[in-house]
Short mmCIF file of all heavy atoms in Angstrom, two decimals:
data_model
loop_
_atom_site.label_atom_id
_atom_site.label_comp_id
_atom_site.label_asym_id
_atom_site.label_seq_id
_atom_site.Cartn_x
_atom_site.Cartn_y
_atom_site.Cartn_z
N GLY A 1 81.37 99.28 98.27
CA GLY A 1 81.47 100.53 99.01
C GLY A 1 82.86 101.14 98.82
O GLY A 1 83.68 100.72 98.01
N VAL A 2 83.07 102.16 99.58
CA VAL A 2 84.33 102.92 99.48
C VAL A 2 85.33 102.55 100.52
O VAL A 2 86.41 103.13 100.58
CB VAL A 2 84.05 104.46 99.51
CG1 VAL A 2 83.25 104.90 98.31
CG2 VAL A 2 83.42 104.83 100.80
N ALA A 3 85.02 101.60 101.40
CA ALA A 3 85.96 101.24 102.46
C ALA A 3 87.31 100.79 101.95
O ALA A 3 88.36 101.20 102.44
CB ALA A 3 85.31 100.21 103.39
N LEU A 4 87.29 99.91 100.92
CA LEU A 4 88.59 99.42 100.37
C LEU A 4 89.38 100.51 99.71
O LEU A 4 90.57 100.67 100.00
CB LEU A 4 88.32 98.24 99.42
CG LEU A 4 89.59 97.66 98.80
CD1 LEU A 4 90.55 97.14 99.90
CD2 LEU A 4 89.23 96.54 97.82
N PRO A 5 88.80 101.32 98.80
CA PRO A 5 89.56 102.39 98.24
C PRO A 5 90.16 103.35 99.28
O PRO A 5 91.29 103.79 99.18
CB PRO A 5 88.60 103.09 97.28
CG PRO A 5 87.53 102.11 96.99
CD PRO A 5 87.44 101.23 98.20
N ILE A 6 89.34 103.69 100.27
CA ILE A 6 89.85 104.60 101.34
C ILE A 6 90.99 103.92 102.07
O ILE A 6 91.99 104.57 102.40
CB ILE A 6 88.70 104.98 102.28
CG1 ILE A 6 87.73 105.94 101.53
CG2 ILE A 6 89.21 105.66 103.56
CD1 ILE A 6 86.46 106.25 102.33
N SER A 7 90.87 102.65 102.37
CA SER A 7 91.92 101.92 103.05
C SER A 7 93.23 101.89 102.23
O SER A 7 94.30 102.05 102.80
CB SER A 7 91.44 100.49 103.36
OG SER A 7 92.48 99.76 103.96
N LEU A 8 93.10 101.70 100.93
CA LEU A 8 94.26 101.70 100.08
C LEU A 8 94.94 103.07 100.06
O LEU A 8 96.17 103.15 100.16
CB LEU A 8 93.90 101.28 98.65
CG LEU A 8 93.54 99.79 98.47
CD1 LEU A 8 92.95 99.54 97.11
CD2 LEU A 8 94.80 98.94 98.68
N ILE A 9 94.16 104.12 99.96
CA ILE A 9 94.72 105.49 99.99
C ILE A 9 95.41 105.72 101.31
O ILE A 9 96.53 106.22 101.35
CB ILE A 9 93.61 106.54 99.76
CG1 ILE A 9 93.00 106.40 98.39
CG2 ILE A 9 94.15 107.94 99.99
CD1 ILE A 9 93.86 106.71 97.21
N LYS A 10 94.78 105.33 102.39
CA LYS A 10 95.41 105.50 103.72
C LYS A 10 96.72 104.73 103.81
O LYS A 10 97.70 105.21 104.33
CB LYS A 10 94.44 105.07 104.82
CG LYS A 10 94.98 105.27 106.22
CD LYS A 10 93.93 104.98 107.28
CE LYS A 10 94.44 105.11 108.68
NZ LYS A 10 95.74 105.51 108.98
N GLY A 11 96.73 103.52 103.29
CA GLY A 11 97.96 102.71 103.33
C GLY A 11 99.06 103.32 102.54
O GLY A 11 100.21 103.36 102.97
N PHE A 12 98.73 103.84 101.33
CA PHE A 12 99.75 104.54 100.52
C PHE A 12 100.27 105.76 101.27
O PHE A 12 101.44 106.02 101.26
CB PHE A 12 99.18 104.96 99.16
CG PHE A 12 99.19 103.87 98.15
CD1 PHE A 12 98.02 103.60 97.42
CD2 PHE A 12 100.34 103.17 97.84
CE1 PHE A 12 98.01 102.62 96.46
CE2 PHE A 12 100.36 102.17 96.86
CZ PHE A 12 99.17 101.89 96.13
N ASP A 13 99.37 106.49 101.95
CA ASP A 13 99.80 107.69 102.64
C ASP A 13 100.65 107.33 103.86
O ASP A 13 101.71 107.91 104.10
CB ASP A 13 98.51 108.46 103.07
CG ASP A 13 98.85 109.82 103.65
OD1 ASP A 13 99.83 110.50 103.17
OD2 ASP A 13 98.19 110.27 104.61
N ASP A 14 100.19 106.40 104.67
CA ASP A 14 100.88 105.99 105.87
C ASP A 14 102.27 105.42 105.59
O ASP A 14 103.17 105.60 106.40
CB ASP A 14 100.07 104.97 106.67
CG ASP A 14 98.84 105.55 107.33
OD1 ASP A 14 98.67 106.77 107.35
OD2 ASP A 14 97.98 104.74 107.78
N ASN A 15 102.43 104.74 104.50
CA ASN A 15 103.66 104.04 104.14
C ASN A 15 104.35 104.68 102.93
O ASN A 15 105.15 104.02 102.22
CB ASN A 15 103.36 102.57 103.88
CG ASN A 15 102.75 101.92 105.08
OD1 ASN A 15 103.36 101.83 106.13
ND2 ASN A 15 101.52 101.40 104.89
N PHE A 16 104.11 105.96 102.73
CA PHE A 16 104.61 106.67 101.53
C PHE A 16 106.07 106.47 101.31
O PHE A 16 106.51 106.15 100.21
CB PHE A 16 104.26 108.14 101.64
CG PHE A 16 104.54 108.90 100.34
CD1 PHE A 16 103.64 108.88 99.33
CD2 PHE A 16 105.73 109.57 100.16
CE1 PHE A 16 103.90 109.56 98.13
CE2 PHE A 16 106.03 110.24 99.01
CZ PHE A 16 105.09 110.24 97.97
N GLU A 17 106.86 106.63 102.34
CA GLU A 17 108.33 106.55 102.22
C GLU A 17 108.84 105.16 101.95
O GLU A 17 109.97 105.02 101.55
CB GLU A 17 108.98 107.15 103.49
CG GLU A 17 108.66 108.63 103.73
CD GLU A 17 109.09 109.55 102.63
OE1 GLU A 17 110.15 109.30 101.98
OE2 GLU A 17 108.38 110.51 102.35
N THR A 18 108.07 104.14 102.17
CA THR A 18 108.51 102.80 101.95
C THR A 18 108.42 102.37 100.47
O THR A 18 108.92 101.33 100.12
CB THR A 18 107.77 101.77 102.83
OG1 THR A 18 106.41 101.74 102.38
CG2 THR A 18 107.88 102.13 104.31
N HIS A 19 107.70 103.16 99.70
CA HIS A 19 107.53 102.84 98.28
C HIS A 19 108.61 103.50 97.44
O HIS A 19 108.98 104.61 97.71
CB HIS A 19 106.14 103.26 97.80
CG HIS A 19 104.99 102.57 98.48
ND1 HIS A 19 104.74 101.21 98.26
CD2 HIS A 19 104.12 102.98 99.37
CE1 HIS A 19 103.69 100.85 98.99
NE2 HIS A 19 103.32 101.89 99.68
N ASP A 20 109.05 102.81 96.40
CA ASP A 20 110.02 103.34 95.49
C ASP A 20 109.31 103.93 94.26
O ASP A 20 109.28 103.34 93.18
CB ASP A 20 110.97 102.21 95.09
CG ASP A 20 112.14 102.75 94.27
OD1 ASP A 20 112.49 103.94 94.37
OD2 ASP A 20 112.74 101.95 93.53
N TRP A 21 108.68 105.09 94.50
CA TRP A 21 107.84 105.72 93.48
C TRP A 21 108.68 106.12 92.26
O TRP A 21 109.78 106.61 92.41
CB TRP A 21 107.17 106.97 94.03
CG TRP A 21 106.31 106.72 95.22
CD1 TRP A 21 106.57 107.02 96.51
CD2 TRP A 21 104.98 106.16 95.22
NE1 TRP A 21 105.53 106.67 97.33
CE2 TRP A 21 104.53 106.15 96.54
CE3 TRP A 21 104.14 105.69 94.22
CZ2 TRP A 21 103.29 105.65 96.93
CZ3 TRP A 21 102.93 105.18 94.60
CH2 TRP A 21 102.50 105.17 95.91
N ASN A 22 108.08 105.97 91.07
CA ASN A 22 108.72 106.47 89.89
C ASN A 22 108.70 108.03 89.92
O ASN A 22 109.63 108.64 89.39
CB ASN A 22 107.98 106.01 88.61
CG ASN A 22 108.13 104.51 88.42
OD1 ASN A 22 109.14 103.95 88.79
ND2 ASN A 22 107.13 103.87 87.84
N SER A 23 107.71 108.63 90.53
CA SER A 23 107.66 110.05 90.75
C SER A 23 106.94 110.29 92.08
O SER A 23 105.72 110.24 92.16
CB SER A 23 106.85 110.78 89.63
OG SER A 23 106.66 112.11 89.98
N ALA A 24 107.76 110.52 93.10
CA ALA A 24 107.19 110.72 94.43
C ALA A 24 106.30 112.01 94.48
O ALA A 24 105.31 112.03 95.16
CB ALA A 24 108.31 110.84 95.46
N THR A 25 106.69 112.99 93.70
CA THR A 25 105.90 114.25 93.70
C THR A 25 104.54 114.00 93.15
O THR A 25 103.52 114.43 93.72
CB THR A 25 106.63 115.32 92.84
OG1 THR A 25 107.92 115.54 93.41
CG2 THR A 25 105.86 116.62 92.79
N LYS A 26 104.46 113.28 92.03
CA LYS A 26 103.17 112.97 91.42
C LYS A 26 102.33 112.06 92.36
O LYS A 26 101.11 112.24 92.52
CB LYS A 26 103.35 112.33 90.09
CG LYS A 26 102.06 112.15 89.33
CD LYS A 26 102.30 111.75 87.90
CE LYS A 26 100.99 111.62 87.17
NZ LYS A 26 101.15 111.31 85.74
N ALA A 27 103.00 111.07 92.99
CA ALA A 27 102.26 110.20 93.90
C ALA A 27 101.68 111.02 95.06
O ALA A 27 100.55 110.77 95.47
CB ALA A 27 103.22 109.12 94.44
N ARG A 28 102.45 111.92 95.64
CA ARG A 28 101.99 112.75 96.76
C ARG A 28 100.78 113.59 96.30
O ARG A 28 99.79 113.75 97.04
CB ARG A 28 103.13 113.61 97.25
CG ARG A 28 102.75 114.56 98.39
CD ARG A 28 102.01 113.96 99.54
NE ARG A 28 102.76 112.99 100.29
CZ ARG A 28 102.15 112.07 101.07
NH1 ARG A 28 100.86 112.02 101.23
NH2 ARG A 28 102.85 111.18 101.71
N GLU A 29 100.83 114.15 95.06
CA GLU A 29 99.75 114.98 94.58
C GLU A 29 98.45 114.11 94.45
O GLU A 29 97.38 114.57 94.84
CB GLU A 29 100.09 115.54 93.20
CG GLU A 29 101.14 116.63 93.24
CD GLU A 29 101.64 117.04 91.88
OE1 GLU A 29 101.11 116.53 90.84
OE2 GLU A 29 102.53 117.89 91.82
N ILE A 30 98.59 112.89 93.94
CA ILE A 30 97.41 112.02 93.81
C ILE A 30 96.85 111.66 95.19
O ILE A 30 95.62 111.68 95.38
CB ILE A 30 97.81 110.77 93.00
CG1 ILE A 30 98.15 111.15 91.59
CG2 ILE A 30 96.67 109.74 93.05
CD1 ILE A 30 98.82 110.03 90.76
N ILE A 31 97.71 111.33 96.11
CA ILE A 31 97.23 110.98 97.45
C ILE A 31 96.53 112.16 98.09
O ILE A 31 95.45 112.02 98.73
CB ILE A 31 98.41 110.49 98.36
CG1 ILE A 31 98.88 109.11 97.85
CG2 ILE A 31 98.01 110.43 99.80
CD1 ILE A 31 100.16 108.63 98.48
N ASN A 32 97.12 113.34 97.98
CA ASN A 32 96.47 114.55 98.51
C ASN A 32 95.14 114.80 97.88
O ASN A 32 94.16 115.22 98.56
CB ASN A 32 97.40 115.73 98.40
CG ASN A 32 98.56 115.66 99.37
OD1 ASN A 32 98.52 114.92 100.37
ND2 ASN A 32 99.60 116.42 99.12
N ARG A 33 95.05 114.58 96.56
CA ARG A 33 93.74 114.82 95.87
C ARG A 33 92.71 113.81 96.41
O ARG A 33 91.58 114.18 96.73
CB ARG A 33 93.96 114.59 94.37
CG ARG A 33 92.73 114.98 93.56
CD ARG A 33 92.95 114.96 92.05
NE ARG A 33 94.36 115.01 91.65
CZ ARG A 33 94.88 114.24 90.67
NH1 ARG A 33 94.11 113.44 89.98
NH2 ARG A 33 96.17 114.35 90.37
N ALA A 34 93.13 112.55 96.60
CA ALA A 34 92.20 111.53 97.13
C ALA A 34 91.81 111.88 98.56
O ALA A 34 90.63 111.75 98.92
CB ALA A 34 92.88 110.18 97.07
N LYS A 35 92.76 112.32 99.37
CA LYS A 35 92.42 112.71 100.76
C LYS A 35 91.44 113.84 100.80
O LYS A 35 90.55 113.91 101.66
CB LYS A 35 93.72 113.04 101.52
CG LYS A 35 94.53 111.79 101.84
CD LYS A 35 95.93 112.12 102.39
CE LYS A 35 95.88 112.88 103.67
NZ LYS A 35 97.26 113.12 104.26
N ASN A 36 91.60 114.82 99.89
CA ASN A 36 90.65 115.93 99.84
C ASN A 36 89.24 115.45 99.48
O ASN A 36 88.25 115.91 100.05
CB ASN A 36 91.14 117.01 98.85
CG ASN A 36 92.26 117.78 99.37
OD1 ASN A 36 92.46 117.91 100.61
ND2 ASN A 36 93.09 118.33 98.49
N ILE A 37 89.15 114.48 98.54
CA ILE A 37 87.85 113.92 98.18
C ILE A 37 87.24 113.23 99.37
O ILE A 37 86.03 113.41 99.64
CB ILE A 37 88.01 112.98 96.96
CG1 ILE A 37 88.38 113.73 95.69
CG2 ILE A 37 86.74 112.15 96.76
CD1 ILE A 37 88.82 112.89 94.54
N ILE A 38 88.04 112.45 100.08
CA ILE A 38 87.55 111.73 101.24
C ILE A 38 87.11 112.70 102.34
O ILE A 38 86.02 112.54 102.92
CB ILE A 38 88.61 110.73 101.74
CG1 ILE A 38 88.89 109.66 100.73
CG2 ILE A 38 88.22 110.16 103.11
CD1 ILE A 38 90.16 108.88 100.96
N ALA A 39 87.88 113.71 102.61
CA ALA A 39 87.59 114.68 103.69
C ALA A 39 86.34 115.48 103.39
O ALA A 39 85.66 115.91 104.32
CB ALA A 39 88.80 115.58 103.89
N SER A 40 86.06 115.67 102.11
CA SER A 40 84.88 116.48 101.74
C SER A 40 83.64 115.61 101.58
O SER A 40 82.62 116.08 101.08
CB SER A 40 85.15 117.30 100.49
OG SER A 40 85.34 116.41 99.40
N ASN A 41 83.70 114.35 102.00
CA ASN A 41 82.57 113.45 101.96
C ASN A 41 82.06 113.22 100.55
O ASN A 41 80.89 113.01 100.33
CB ASN A 41 81.45 113.87 102.87
CG ASN A 41 81.80 113.70 104.32
OD1 ASN A 41 82.41 112.76 104.72
ND2 ASN A 41 81.44 114.74 105.13
N ARG A 42 82.97 113.24 99.54
CA ARG A 42 82.58 113.03 98.13
C ARG A 42 83.19 111.71 97.62
O ARG A 42 83.20 111.48 96.42
CB ARG A 42 83.07 114.18 97.26
CG ARG A 42 82.43 115.52 97.58
CD ARG A 42 82.92 116.62 96.64
NE ARG A 42 84.34 116.94 96.89
CZ ARG A 42 85.26 116.85 95.92
NH1 ARG A 42 84.98 116.53 94.69
NH2 ARG A 42 86.53 117.13 96.22
N ALA A 43 83.68 110.87 98.57
CA ALA A 43 84.35 109.62 98.13
C ALA A 43 83.35 108.64 97.53
O ALA A 43 82.35 108.32 98.15
CB ALA A 43 85.04 109.03 99.33
N THR A 44 83.66 108.19 96.30
CA THR A 44 82.92 107.13 95.67
C THR A 44 83.99 106.22 95.00
O THR A 44 85.11 106.62 94.77
CB THR A 44 81.97 107.62 94.59
OG1 THR A 44 82.71 108.23 93.50
CG2 THR A 44 80.97 108.64 95.15
N GLU A 45 83.56 105.02 94.71
CA GLU A 45 84.46 104.12 93.96
C GLU A 45 84.83 104.73 92.64
O GLU A 45 85.99 104.56 92.19
CB GLU A 45 83.83 102.73 93.77
CG GLU A 45 83.71 101.92 95.04
CD GLU A 45 83.17 100.56 94.77
OE1 GLU A 45 83.74 99.82 93.98
OE2 GLU A 45 82.14 100.24 95.39
N ASP A 46 83.88 105.41 91.99
CA ASP A 46 84.13 105.99 90.69
C ASP A 46 85.20 107.13 90.71
O ASP A 46 85.90 107.28 89.72
CB ASP A 46 82.83 106.55 90.08
CG ASP A 46 81.88 105.47 89.63
OD1 ASP A 46 82.36 104.31 89.43
OD2 ASP A 46 80.66 105.75 89.51
N ASN A 47 85.30 107.85 91.80
CA ASN A 47 86.32 108.91 91.79
C ASN A 47 87.62 108.53 92.52
O ASN A 47 88.64 109.17 92.31
CB ASN A 47 85.76 110.27 92.30
CG ASN A 47 85.24 110.24 93.73
OD1 ASN A 47 85.54 109.37 94.47
ND2 ASN A 47 84.48 111.26 94.06
N LEU A 48 87.59 107.45 93.31
CA LEU A 48 88.81 107.03 93.99
C LEU A 48 89.58 105.92 93.26
O LEU A 48 90.80 105.94 93.22
CB LEU A 48 88.51 106.52 95.44
CG LEU A 48 88.04 107.60 96.42
CD1 LEU A 48 87.80 106.96 97.80
CD2 LEU A 48 89.09 108.71 96.54
N ASN A 49 88.86 105.01 92.60
CA ASN A 49 89.53 103.90 91.94
C ASN A 49 90.52 104.38 90.84
O ASN A 49 91.59 103.85 90.71
CB ASN A 49 88.51 102.89 91.38
CG ASN A 49 87.97 102.03 92.49
OD1 ASN A 49 88.48 101.99 93.60
ND2 ASN A 49 86.86 101.33 92.18
N PRO A 50 90.13 105.39 90.03
CA PRO A 50 91.17 105.84 89.04
C PRO A 50 92.40 106.42 89.69
O PRO A 50 93.50 106.23 89.16
CB PRO A 50 90.39 106.93 88.25
CG PRO A 50 88.95 106.62 88.40
CD PRO A 50 88.85 106.03 89.80
N LEU A 51 92.24 107.07 90.81
CA LEU A 51 93.43 107.61 91.55
C LEU A 51 94.28 106.48 92.05
O LEU A 51 95.54 106.55 91.98
CB LEU A 51 92.98 108.54 92.66
CG LEU A 51 92.22 109.78 92.21
CD1 LEU A 51 91.75 110.56 93.46
CD2 LEU A 51 93.03 110.64 91.32
N ILE A 52 93.66 105.42 92.57
CA ILE A 52 94.40 104.28 93.06
C ILE A 52 95.15 103.62 91.87
O ILE A 52 96.33 103.24 92.01
CB ILE A 52 93.43 103.25 93.75
CG1 ILE A 52 92.95 103.89 95.05
CG2 ILE A 52 94.16 101.93 94.02
CD1 ILE A 52 91.79 103.17 95.66
N GLY A 53 94.50 103.51 90.76
CA GLY A 53 95.17 102.99 89.56
C GLY A 53 96.37 103.79 89.17
O GLY A 53 97.41 103.25 88.82
N ASP A 54 96.22 105.13 89.24
CA ASP A 54 97.32 106.02 88.97
C ASP A 54 98.51 105.79 89.94
O ASP A 54 99.66 105.85 89.55
CB ASP A 54 96.88 107.47 88.99
CG ASP A 54 95.96 107.89 87.87
OD1 ASP A 54 95.87 107.11 86.88
OD2 ASP A 54 95.29 108.91 88.00
N LEU A 55 98.18 105.55 91.19
CA LEU A 55 99.24 105.32 92.19
C LEU A 55 99.97 104.01 91.91
O LEU A 55 101.18 103.93 91.94
CB LEU A 55 98.64 105.28 93.61
CG LEU A 55 98.23 106.65 94.14
CD1 LEU A 55 97.39 106.48 95.42
CD2 LEU A 55 99.45 107.54 94.40
N PHE A 56 99.23 102.94 91.63
CA PHE A 56 99.85 101.70 91.31
C PHE A 56 100.74 101.80 90.05
O PHE A 56 101.79 101.18 89.99
CB PHE A 56 98.83 100.55 91.10
CG PHE A 56 98.39 99.91 92.40
CD1 PHE A 56 97.13 100.14 92.89
CD2 PHE A 56 99.24 99.07 93.09
CE1 PHE A 56 96.72 99.52 94.09
CE2 PHE A 56 98.87 98.48 94.30
CZ PHE A 56 97.61 98.73 94.77
N ALA A 57 100.35 102.65 89.14
CA ALA A 57 101.11 102.80 87.87
C ALA A 57 102.43 103.51 88.17
O ALA A 57 103.35 103.43 87.40
CB ALA A 57 100.29 103.61 86.87
N LEU A 58 102.52 104.24 89.31
CA LEU A 58 103.75 104.93 89.68
C LEU A 58 104.74 104.04 90.43
O LEU A 58 105.83 104.48 90.79
CB LEU A 58 103.44 106.18 90.50
CG LEU A 58 102.78 107.32 89.74
CD1 LEU A 58 102.34 108.40 90.71
CD2 LEU A 58 103.71 107.89 88.69
N LEU A 59 104.34 102.80 90.69
CA LEU A 59 105.26 101.88 91.39
C LEU A 59 106.14 101.18 90.39
O LEU A 59 105.68 100.87 89.31
CB LEU A 59 104.44 100.90 92.21
CG LEU A 59 103.66 101.50 93.39
CD1 LEU A 59 102.77 100.41 93.98
CD2 LEU A 59 104.63 102.04 94.40
N PRO A 60 107.37 100.83 90.77
CA PRO A 60 108.23 100.09 89.84
C PRO A 60 107.63 98.76 89.46
O PRO A 60 106.99 98.12 90.28
CB PRO A 60 109.54 99.86 90.66
CG PRO A 60 109.42 100.72 91.88
CD PRO A 60 107.98 101.08 92.07
N GLY A 61 107.83 98.39 88.24
CA GLY A 61 107.30 97.13 87.76
C GLY A 61 105.82 97.10 87.53
O GLY A 61 105.25 96.04 87.33
N ALA A 62 105.19 98.25 87.49
CA ALA A 62 103.73 98.31 87.34
C ALA A 62 103.28 97.72 86.02
O ALA A 62 102.20 97.19 85.92
CB ALA A 62 103.24 99.73 87.44
N LYS A 63 104.17 97.74 85.03
CA LYS A 63 103.82 97.16 83.73
C LYS A 63 104.15 95.69 83.64
O LYS A 63 103.80 95.05 82.65
CB LYS A 63 104.53 97.97 82.64
CG LYS A 63 104.27 99.44 82.70
CD LYS A 63 103.71 99.92 81.39
CE LYS A 63 103.55 101.43 81.44
NZ LYS A 63 102.27 101.87 81.87
N THR A 64 104.85 95.14 84.63
CA THR A 64 105.20 93.75 84.66
C THR A 64 103.96 92.95 85.05
O THR A 64 103.32 93.28 86.04
CB THR A 64 106.33 93.45 85.67
OG1 THR A 64 107.42 94.25 85.32
CG2 THR A 64 106.71 92.03 85.69
N PRO A 65 103.58 91.92 84.33
CA PRO A 65 102.44 91.11 84.66
C PRO A 65 102.57 90.48 86.06
O PRO A 65 103.69 90.17 86.46
CB PRO A 65 102.35 90.02 83.60
CG PRO A 65 103.37 90.41 82.58
CD PRO A 65 104.29 91.41 83.15
N ILE A 66 101.48 90.27 86.70
CA ILE A 66 101.48 89.59 87.98
C ILE A 66 102.12 88.21 87.78
O ILE A 66 101.75 87.52 86.83
CB ILE A 66 100.11 89.45 88.59
CG1 ILE A 66 99.55 90.82 88.95
CG2 ILE A 66 100.07 88.52 89.81
CD1 ILE A 66 98.11 90.85 89.40
N GLY A 67 103.03 87.83 88.60
CA GLY A 67 103.73 86.56 88.40
C GLY A 67 105.13 86.76 87.79
O GLY A 67 105.89 85.85 87.61
N GLY A 68 105.44 88.02 87.39
CA GLY A 68 106.79 88.33 86.91
C GLY A 68 106.94 88.18 85.44
O GLY A 68 105.95 87.99 84.68
N THR A 69 108.19 88.25 85.00
CA THR A 69 108.50 88.26 83.58
C THR A 69 108.72 86.86 83.03
O THR A 69 108.87 86.68 81.84
CB THR A 69 109.77 89.08 83.34
OG1 THR A 69 110.85 88.43 84.01
CG2 THR A 69 109.62 90.50 83.80
N GLY A 70 108.76 85.85 83.92
CA GLY A 70 109.07 84.52 83.47
C GLY A 70 110.55 84.21 83.46
O GLY A 70 110.95 83.08 83.20
N GLU A 71 111.37 85.18 83.81
CA GLU A 71 112.82 84.98 83.83
C GLU A 71 113.29 84.27 85.11
O GLU A 71 114.25 83.58 85.09
CB GLU A 71 113.56 86.30 83.65
CG GLU A 71 113.31 86.91 82.28
CD GLU A 71 114.04 88.24 82.16
OE1 GLU A 71 115.07 88.44 82.78
OE2 GLU A 71 113.50 89.09 81.46
N THR A 72 112.58 84.50 86.21
CA THR A 72 112.92 83.85 87.48
C THR A 72 111.67 83.27 88.08
O THR A 72 110.53 83.74 87.81
CB THR A 72 113.56 84.82 88.45
OG1 THR A 72 112.63 85.88 88.72
CG2 THR A 72 114.86 85.39 87.93
N ASP A 73 111.84 82.25 88.93
CA ASP A 73 110.64 81.75 89.61
C ASP A 73 110.51 82.52 90.92
O ASP A 73 111.23 83.48 91.20
CB ASP A 73 110.75 80.26 89.86
CG ASP A 73 111.87 79.85 90.82
OD1 ASP A 73 112.33 80.72 91.58
OD2 ASP A 73 112.21 78.67 90.83
N ILE A 74 109.53 82.14 91.72
CA ILE A 74 109.21 82.90 92.92
C ILE A 74 110.35 82.99 93.93
O ILE A 74 110.43 83.95 94.70
CB ILE A 74 107.95 82.28 93.62
CG1 ILE A 74 107.36 83.25 94.61
CG2 ILE A 74 108.27 80.97 94.26
CD1 ILE A 74 105.96 82.91 95.02
N LEU A 75 111.29 82.07 93.91
CA LEU A 75 112.43 82.10 94.81
C LEU A 75 113.62 82.85 94.20
O LEU A 75 114.69 82.92 94.81
CB LEU A 75 112.84 80.67 95.22
CG LEU A 75 111.80 79.90 95.94
CD1 LEU A 75 112.28 78.46 96.19
CD2 LEU A 75 111.42 80.56 97.25
N GLY A 76 113.45 83.35 92.99
CA GLY A 76 114.56 84.08 92.33
C GLY A 76 115.45 83.23 91.48
O GLY A 76 116.45 83.70 90.96
N ASP A 77 115.13 81.92 91.40
CA ASP A 77 115.98 81.03 90.57
C ASP A 77 115.65 81.25 89.15
O ASP A 77 114.50 81.39 88.74
CB ASP A 77 115.73 79.60 90.94
CG ASP A 77 116.13 79.28 92.38
OD1 ASP A 77 117.10 79.90 92.86
OD2 ASP A 77 115.48 78.43 93.00
N ILE A 78 116.66 81.20 88.28
CA ILE A 78 116.47 81.36 86.85
C ILE A 78 115.82 80.09 86.33
O ILE A 78 116.24 78.98 86.64
CB ILE A 78 117.80 81.62 86.12
CG1 ILE A 78 118.37 82.95 86.62
CG2 ILE A 78 117.57 81.61 84.61
CD1 ILE A 78 119.72 83.28 86.04
N ASN A 79 114.74 80.29 85.54
CA ASN A 79 114.02 79.13 84.94
C ASN A 79 114.82 78.51 83.81
O ASN A 79 115.54 79.10 83.15
CB ASN A 79 112.64 79.58 84.42
CG ASN A 79 111.72 79.96 85.54
OD1 ASN A 79 111.85 79.47 86.66
ND2 ASN A 79 110.78 80.82 85.28
#
């Protein structure tokens, strides 16, 4: 369903200022586009998930694999 994508959009919107966006303007535009889709009852996974992906791509380290670069461990110690 669309509950998770809507929740993610709401979380990004509610906590917008806490994120270190690569482009805050672009992130705000994407969130507003998603909110318009949701408000007009056109929300589907197919139209929200790409927007969520775009938002995650605007976060620092988005290209870093989950688990980090291998340079430090989870506590920040150099391997």
Side-chain angles (χ1 to χ4, degrees):
V2 296
L4 179 59
I6 289 173
S7 177
L8 288 170
I9 297 294
K10 182 173 178 3
F12 278 128
D13 188 37
D14 290 348
N15 301 299
F16 188 83
E17 298 299 325
T18 66
H19 296 291
D20 188 22
W21 301 104
N22 293 329
S23 171
T25 302
K26 187 169 182 177
R28 178 51 63 200
E29 290 171 3
I30 294 168
I31 290 170
N32 287 341
R33 191 173 339 140
K35 288 170 61 176
N36 286 335
I37 290 169
I38 294 164
S40 64
N41 291 318
R42 296 181 293 121
T44 66
E45 288 183 58
D46 288 340
N47 62 16
L48 292 180
N49 285 345
L51 297 176
I52 292 167
D54 291 344
L55 287 169
F56 275 109
L58 290 173
L59 294 171
K63 305 236 184 269
T64 303
I66 294 174
T69 63
E71 294 178 31
T72 60
D73 68 17
I74 196 163
L75 299 175
D77 297 328
I78 296 175
N79 291 334

